[in-house]
Short mmCIF file of all heavy atoms in Angstrom, two decimals:
data_model
loop_
_atom_site.label_atom_id
_atom_site.label_comp_id
_atom_site.label_asym_id
_atom_site.label_seq_id
_atom_site.Cartn_x
_atom_site.Cartn_y
_atom_site.Cartn_z
N GLU P 154 12.29 99.86 144.95
CA GLU P 154 13.19 101.00 144.70
C GLU P 154 12.45 102.27 144.30
O GLU P 154 12.97 103.38 144.44
CB GLU P 154 14.22 100.64 143.63
CG GLU P 154 15.21 99.56 144.04
CD GLU P 154 14.73 98.15 143.77
OE1 GLU P 154 13.49 97.94 143.67
OE2 GLU P 154 15.57 97.24 143.68
N ASP P 155 11.22 102.11 143.81
CA ASP P 155 10.42 103.27 143.42
C ASP P 155 9.94 104.10 144.61
O ASP P 155 9.34 105.17 144.43
CB ASP P 155 9.20 102.83 142.60
CG ASP P 155 9.58 102.22 141.25
OD1 ASP P 155 10.69 102.54 140.77
OD2 ASP P 155 8.79 101.44 140.71
N MET P 156 10.20 103.61 145.82
CA MET P 156 9.75 104.31 147.02
C MET P 156 10.63 105.51 147.39
O MET P 156 10.29 106.29 148.27
CB MET P 156 9.71 103.34 148.21
CG MET P 156 8.59 102.30 148.15
SD MET P 156 6.94 103.05 148.20
CE MET P 156 6.49 102.97 146.48
N VAL P 157 11.76 105.66 146.71
CA VAL P 157 12.62 106.82 146.97
C VAL P 157 11.84 108.11 146.73
O VAL P 157 11.25 108.31 145.65
CB VAL P 157 13.88 106.80 146.08
CG1 VAL P 157 14.68 108.09 146.25
CG2 VAL P 157 14.75 105.60 146.42
N GLY P 158 11.80 108.96 147.76
CA GLY P 158 11.11 110.23 147.65
C GLY P 158 9.59 110.14 147.76
O GLY P 158 8.91 111.18 147.70
N ARG P 159 9.06 108.94 147.94
CA ARG P 159 7.60 108.79 148.02
C ARG P 159 7.12 108.90 149.46
O ARG P 159 7.82 108.56 150.41
CB ARG P 159 7.19 107.43 147.45
CG ARG P 159 7.46 107.29 145.96
CD ARG P 159 6.61 108.27 145.16
NE ARG P 159 6.84 108.13 143.72
CZ ARG P 159 6.13 108.76 142.80
NH1 ARG P 159 5.16 109.58 143.17
NH2 ARG P 159 6.39 108.60 141.52
N ARG P 160 5.89 109.37 149.62
CA ARG P 160 5.30 109.56 150.94
C ARG P 160 4.57 108.28 151.35
O ARG P 160 3.59 107.89 150.72
CB ARG P 160 4.31 110.73 150.91
CG ARG P 160 4.95 112.07 150.49
CD ARG P 160 3.89 113.05 150.00
NE ARG P 160 3.22 112.54 148.81
CZ ARG P 160 2.16 113.12 148.26
NH1 ARG P 160 1.65 114.23 148.78
NH2 ARG P 160 1.58 112.59 147.19
N ILE P 161 5.08 107.63 152.41
CA ILE P 161 4.50 106.38 152.89
C ILE P 161 3.78 106.63 154.22
O ILE P 161 4.39 107.11 155.18
CB ILE P 161 5.57 105.29 153.09
CG1 ILE P 161 6.36 105.08 151.79
CG2 ILE P 161 4.93 104.00 153.55
CD1 ILE P 161 7.48 104.05 151.92
N ALA P 162 2.51 106.32 154.27
CA ALA P 162 1.71 106.52 155.49
C ALA P 162 1.89 105.34 156.44
O ALA P 162 1.87 104.18 156.02
CB ALA P 162 0.24 106.69 155.13
N ILE P 163 2.08 105.64 157.72
CA ILE P 163 2.06 104.66 158.79
C ILE P 163 1.10 105.17 159.86
O ILE P 163 0.88 106.37 159.96
CB ILE P 163 3.46 104.41 159.39
CG1 ILE P 163 4.12 105.76 159.78
CG2 ILE P 163 4.35 103.63 158.42
CD1 ILE P 163 5.46 105.62 160.47
N THR P 164 0.52 104.29 160.64
CA THR P 164 -0.48 104.73 161.61
C THR P 164 0.13 105.25 162.90
O THR P 164 -0.50 106.02 163.62
CB THR P 164 -1.46 103.59 161.95
OG1 THR P 164 -0.72 102.49 162.49
CG2 THR P 164 -2.21 103.14 160.71
N ASN P 165 1.36 104.82 163.19
CA ASN P 165 1.99 105.21 164.45
C ASN P 165 3.49 104.93 164.31
O ASN P 165 3.87 103.85 163.88
CB ASN P 165 1.40 104.40 165.60
CG ASN P 165 1.85 104.88 166.96
OD1 ASN P 165 3.05 105.01 167.23
ND2 ASN P 165 0.90 105.15 167.86
N PRO P 166 4.35 105.86 164.67
CA PRO P 166 5.79 105.62 164.52
C PRO P 166 6.30 104.49 165.41
O PRO P 166 7.38 103.96 165.18
CB PRO P 166 6.43 106.96 164.92
CG PRO P 166 5.38 107.66 165.73
CD PRO P 166 4.06 107.20 165.19
#
Side-chain angles (χ1 to χ4, degrees):
E154 293 88 337
D155 293 337
M156 289 297 101
V157 173
R159 294 296 181 173
R160 301 160 298 173
I161 304 178
I163 52 176
T164 59
N165 189 307

